[in-house]
Structure formats: C-alpha cells, structure tokens
Amino acid sequence: MARVVAHLGRPETPQETADRKAESSRRYRSSKTFRNLIAALLVIIAVVVVVVAAVPRGEPAPRPAPDVPALAADLEAERGRPVLSPSLGEGWRVNQATVEGVGGTEAWTMVYVRSGESGFLRVAQGFDADEAWVGQVLDGTRSTETTEIDGITWNVYRPANPSGTGNIDYALAAPAGPDYVLVYGDAAPETAALAAASVTDQVEQLREVP
C-alpha cells in the first residue's frame, strides 16, 4: 500500500516516490563528498604540521672564518714575497680574505668585523701598486697628514664623503717595497693603528725585497 504524504494528503505516485528517493540519494552523496573533503584537508594540515615541527629551528651555523695565516703562506709561495697576515686582537674576526682587483691592481684583502657590533676594517696589500692605487680605492681622497707607528710612517686619509667610498671614513697607507699597504674602514683610528702595528715586520720585510 502506498504511503500517504502529509503535505499532499494522498499517497505518492510512483514518479513522486522515484523523485523523492533520487533526491535523498543525491543529498547523501553530496554530504559524503563534503565529509571526505574535510577529512582530506585535516590529513593534509596534520602532515604540514608534522613537517614544520620536524624542520630544525634557529640561525644557520656560521661559516668558518678564513685561515688568514695559511692563505698568506700560500700567496707568499706563489708571489715570492712576504704577504700580510695581520692580527687585530680579541673581539675582531675576519669574514673575508681574498685577492681582488681594483683599477687593474690585484690586492690581497682581508675584511675584519667586530663580533656583535657594526663596523669593519680592511687590510689590503696592493701587489706592485703605488699611491695612485690608494687614490682609486679611496675615491680620490688625498692624504692630509702622516703618523708614525712602530717606526713606519703612514699617510693618513680622512674621506670627506664616506658614502662615496663604501662607508670608509679613515685610512692609513704606506709603501712596502714593490707593494702598497692600506688599512681602511669605519673603525676608530686607534683600531686602524693596531692593525697597522700588527704588520710592521711584514712591511719592513717587503721594503727589503729588491
């Protein structure tokens, strides 16, 4: 016996029964698809959380500082002359040491920074260089005075426009046999003098190179 439908007040026709069942099946499939989608999203989120949690945190390990004495020894053997190996003392570390070219002149250049602070100091040995090389590095700045450090007379440079010289506001330069030595950066003059003093022996040895 066909059931009576309340809102119709009569039994369903076969077509109405078929339509009702079809609609019920459609809603069921739609509901199931939505639940499956939610479940899949939850699984994806869980996987992402696990991956993120597994990734190591913190700062990347600092790269080892260049071994200046070892690199200088290799350059000495290659160049056949003394090569600078300065020492700035506690609190300073070297983060770059390489031979680079400025204005056609090759220079053994070391870049020192103070741990945990801003500021830098470069020590460079221009191979077969003269004072013109210093002018190229310091954007044409001329020496205004001299200072004596451990018996070596150094020309003093004070760039008037540090922004035009890569933030260099103080420099010391001295001839060293066939080469020229330049100490420059934005560190205090006292620090530059300390770096210059640390290469006194090498400057004197260079001055003996024929």
Side-chain angles (χ1 to χ4, degrees), residues 5-209:
V5 180
H7 71 279
L8 293 176
R10 59 174 172 77
E12 287 181 319
T13 65
Q15 183 60 49
E16 289 172 338
T17 300
D19 291 344
R20 174 174 55 79
K21 291 181 178 181
E23 177 62 20
S24 177
S25 296
R26 186 191 66 78
R27 287 199 298 265
Y28 174 78
R29 288 194 301 270
S30 176
S31 174
K32 189 175 180 180
T33 300
F34 180 74
R35 286 196 299 269
N36 289 343
L37 176 61
I38 294 299
L41 287 175
L42 290 175
V43 170
I44 292 172
I45 292 172
V47 170
V48 171
V49 169
V50 170
V51 171
V52 171
V55 173
R57 301 280 206 283
E59 295 294 325
R63 63 181 180 181
D67 187 341
V68 171
L71 293 172
D74 290 342
L75 278 173
E76 282 190 5
E78 177 186 328
R79 298 277 175 169
R81 70 183 70 168
V83 172
L84 301 185
S85 179
S87 174
L88 271 69
E90 186 176 355
W92 288 87
R93 62 179 177 82
V94 61
N95 68 356
Q96 181 179 330
T98 186
V99 175
E100 58 185 22
V102 177
T105 298
E106 288 189 319
W108 162 236
T109 305
M110 295 140 283
V111 182
Y112 290 85
V113 295
R114 188 182 290 276
S115 300
E117 299 181 17
S118 61
F120 70 95
L121 190 69
R122 290 190 177 98
V123 181
Q125 177 180 352
F127 295 119
D128 300 309
D130 54 22
E131 195 171 3
W133 167 71
V134 176
Q136 290 175 327
V137 176
L138 301 180
D139 195 33
T141 302
R142 295 180 177 275
S143 173
T144 57
E145 58 189 282
T146 61
T147 185
E148 187 170 307
I149 302 172
D150 281 357
I152 302 292
T153 299
W154 294 79
N155 293 323
V156 177
Y157 299 80
R158 302 178 187 272
N161 181 26
S163 61
T165 56
N167 294 327
I168 299 163
D169 57 21
Y170 186 80
L172 298 170
D179 301 337
Y180 231 86
V181 175
L182 180 60
V183 179
Y184 58 114
D186 65 356
E190 294 78 10
T191 301
L194 176 66
S198 74
V199 296
T200 295
D201 290 345
Q202 291 151 340
V203 170
E204 291 176 342
Q205 291 169 11
L206 281 164
R207 289 182 172 183
E208 295 175 0
V209 173

